[in-house]
Amino acid sequence: MSTGTVAEGRPEPSAESAAGPDGGAVPPPRIDRAERGERAQVAVDRLRTAGVEAVAVTWVDNAGIARVKAVPLGGLVHAAQWGVGTAPCFDVFLADDTIVTSPLIGGPTGDLRLYPDVERIVPLAAQPGWAWAPGDRYTQGGAPHPGCQRLFARRTVAAAAARGLALKAGIEIEWVVALAGPPQEEPRYPTAGPAYGMQRLTELSDYLRDVLRALGEQGLTVLQIHPEYAAGQFEVSVAPEGPVEAADTSVLIRHTVRAVSARHGLRVSFAPAVEAGGVGNGGHLHLSLWRDGHNLAHGGPGPHGLTAEAEGFLAGVLGALPELLVLGCSSPAGYLRLVPQHWAGAYQCWGLENREAALRLVTGSTGERASAANAEVKCFDATANPYLAVGGVLAAGLAGLDQRLALPPEFTGDPAHAAPGAVPRLPSGPAEALAAYRRSALLREALGEPLYGAVLAVRQAENEQYADATPEDLAAATRWRY
């Protein structure tokens, strides 16, 4: 595809300037190109000493696929000042690369500029000679692209900041590793060890060591890495950070795990259903709300120490989960994972350390709760665009906080054993989630009409694409796309 032409415009604003006090978009301030060039040149000098020859600049589309444009190191300053051309139609790509259209985005006409975030550039430890940076997308005239998911997430963070609130977030990364083979081949696993078993770690200790080493060399603080439940499945968790940074990190971790796997002759799947009927890969989002350095999930009068602000925020998230699934459980394959009694969070309820609840409250151990208390959204998976997921959750939470909502009664135990109708089930398929999304004035306003419509077009097309697929066919079609 053509990279288009360079046009006059403005680079992206800072996160703080991306939204006004009410969370709405405001015109970005003009940023001096010379200043951006100076910052990029500092990055070039640093990267050159690390042996970097090229920078991969990524964005994630509405189907949850990371797309990329790369520039040689010598072109980074120009890219930072003027952006790299990208077509708007990427916003309506499906996971299998089919292109659809939406009322405001799509078609062969037009071009955007992709600006690398030079502050986040990192040499890739498992891809010698390469560095990575997340990108923000703008029009050729310098206006924020209304379909840019990363800018959407930054707007919601700015809306929280306008209320005096900060957030910490982290996204758990689960994956299945398999022996390399043709795409149509069923997975063959390099370890037969038991779920969570030391045998798996022993058999793949060199591989997992290299994953840890690469993540550490890229500046990430790993909290834990361990075998998971499904065959060949592992999970890694890293230290919490800001919501946009956490979304960036989730993209970086997946790139890194995939690269390390390739160097070991393995392939990896982050898909929610690697095998139909099994336990799939989640992408659980952890969040905590802070004001003036105080964790609002601790020390309050509400359930398990929640403050009124934290309770309102979580009540807003819980109430919006049916429509949020369109952002956090993107592929129809996600509903093969989102079933009861699989710790996937298939029920619209909350509970302290309840792994069957869609919203799990985590207080942490006695003595560290002031720093550790957080909530986990369990019903999301790795087909989500992480920027849409965090931005949507923040928008729903802030709406609940503004409305001073209260959480419903806590549910303890397995909701599958509750009386019929006692605990609402989350949508069991994409059509039901899409219906909730269409009714959602909250997400329509938060996303803005162009992004809202593009997401709807992609989800509707994939729902129709796989409407008649068997679980086995659906798992096979998406297994190696994520």
Side-chain angles (χ1 to χ4, degrees):
M1 295 182 182
S2 170
T3 59
T5 59
V6 174
E8 286 292 333
R10 293 177 298 225
E12 71 273 31
S14 66
E16 292 76 17
S17 66
D22 62 351
V26 297
R30 182 173 294 278
I31 300 176
D32 190 276
R33 293 190 190 279
E35 177 189 350
R36 288 186 55 82
E38 290 172 2
R39 290 193 285 126
Q41 187 60 57
V42 170
V44 168
D45 294 341
R46 172 175 59 88
L47 295 171
R48 184 172 288 118
T49 63
V52 169
E53 299 178 27
V55 179
V57 186
T58 63
W59 73 102
V60 183
D61 69 17
N62 289 318
I65 302 296
R67 309 289 179 176
V68 65
K69 288 293 184 82
V71 296
L73 189 60
L76 181 62
V77 172
H78 187 273
Q81 291 178 312
W82 297 98
V84 180
T86 58
C89 65
F90 281 113
D91 287 326
V92 285
F93 266 52
L94 307 188
D96 70 349
D97 302 331
T98 299
I99 306 174
V100 296
T101 190
S102 69
L104 297 176
I105 296 177
T109 305
D111 201 46
L112 300 170
R113 311 307 295 176
L114 175 69
Y115 289 91
D117 186 340
V118 297
E119 305 301 328
R120 188 66 203 257
I121 293 177
V122 58
L124 293 172
Q127 294 173 251
W130 285 89
W132 166 85
D136 293 323
R137 292 179 298 150
Y138 280 70
T139 68
Q140 289 179 314
H145 172 45
C148 181
Q149 302 88 350
R150 191 169 188 259
L151 291 180
F152 161 63
R154 290 167 66 175
R155 290 199 305 272
T156 61
V157 171
R163 294 164 170 82
L165 298 167
L167 292 107
K168 294 182 181 180
I171 299 174
E172 296 176 7
I173 305 296
E174 296 178 348
W175 75 96
V176 167
V177 65
L179 298 172
Q184 68 273 15
E185 183 180 77
E186 291 290 321
R188 295 179 297 120
Y189 304 109
T191 173
Y196 307 100
M198 182 64 183
Q199 180 181 338
R200 282 195 203 175
L201 188 149
T202 301
E203 292 175 347
L204 292 180
S205 60
D206 289 349
Y207 165 70
L208 295 173
R209 177 206 61 211
D210 287 351
V211 170
L212 284 173
R213 180 179 293 164
L215 296 176
E217 289 177 3
Q218 291 168 182
L220 301 180
T221 301
V222 175
L223 300 179
Q224 59 175 305
I225 188 168
H226 60 85
E228 257 287 347
Y229 187 88
Q233 189 179 39
F234 295 90
E235 177 185 312
V236 66
S237 301
V238 297
E241 51 196 325
V244 175
E245 292 78 10
D248 289 339
T249 292
S250 75
V251 176
L252 176 59
I253 291 174
R254 279 178 273 182
H255 292 338
T256 304
V257 169
R258 196 179 298 279
V260 173
S261 300
R263 291 168 72 87
H264 280 260
L266 303 169
R267 60 179 172 174
V268 64
S269 176
F270 300 98
V274 177
E275 294 191 62
V279 173
N281 293 312
H284 307 160
L285 171 63
H286 288 259
L287 278 171
S288 57
L289 191 66
W290 297 70
R291 182 183 292 280
D292 299 328
H294 176 66
N295 186 351
L296 299 180
H298 172 74
H304 306 292
L306 293 175
T307 64
E309 287 184 301
E311 183 175 1
F313 185 94
L314 295 180
V317 174
L318 181 63
L321 283 180
E323 57 261 44
L324 285 172
L325 283 182
V326 168
L327 307 182
C329 178
S330 301
S331 170
Y335 297 90
L336 300 180
R337 168 191 167 270
L338 192 61
V339 295
Q341 298 184 313
H342 280 59
W343 289 11
Y347 288 90
Q348 191 180 4
C349 61
W350 76 279
L352 177 64
E353 299 293 3
N354 189 340
R355 290 172 174 81
E356 280 293 327
L359 186 65
R360 171 192 173 209
L361 187 62
V362 182
T363 60
S365 301
T366 301
E368 67 167 0
R369 291 179 176 174
S371 61
N374 70 91
E376 178 187 25
V377 182
K378 291 190 64 65
C379 50
F380 288 1
D381 62 53
T383 65
N385 179 309
Y387 305 104
L388 289 180
V390 299
V393 167
L394 263 63
L398 291 175
L401 185 153
D402 291 345
Q403 297 168 36
R404 301 183 180 182
L405 298 182
L407 285 167
E410 176 183 6
F411 191 87
T412 60
D414 188 346
H417 295 153
V423 184
R425 173 79 193 274
L426 285 175
S428 58
E432 190 179 349
L434 277 166
Y437 181 78
R438 288 191 178 94
R439 294 191 299 267
S440 179
L442 166 73
L443 291 183
R444 184 184 291 271
E445 181 179 357
L447 291 162
E449 200 62 41
L451 182 52
Y452 176 90
V455 170
L456 179 60
V458 170
R459 297 295 181 276
Q460 181 63 46
E462 291 196 334
N463 179 35
E464 294 171 359
Q465 184 179 43
Y466 295 112
D468 298 325
T470 66
E472 291 74 18
D473 290 341
L474 181 52
T478 56
R479 180 182 295 135
W480 306 120
R481 305 303 291 179
Y482 295 99

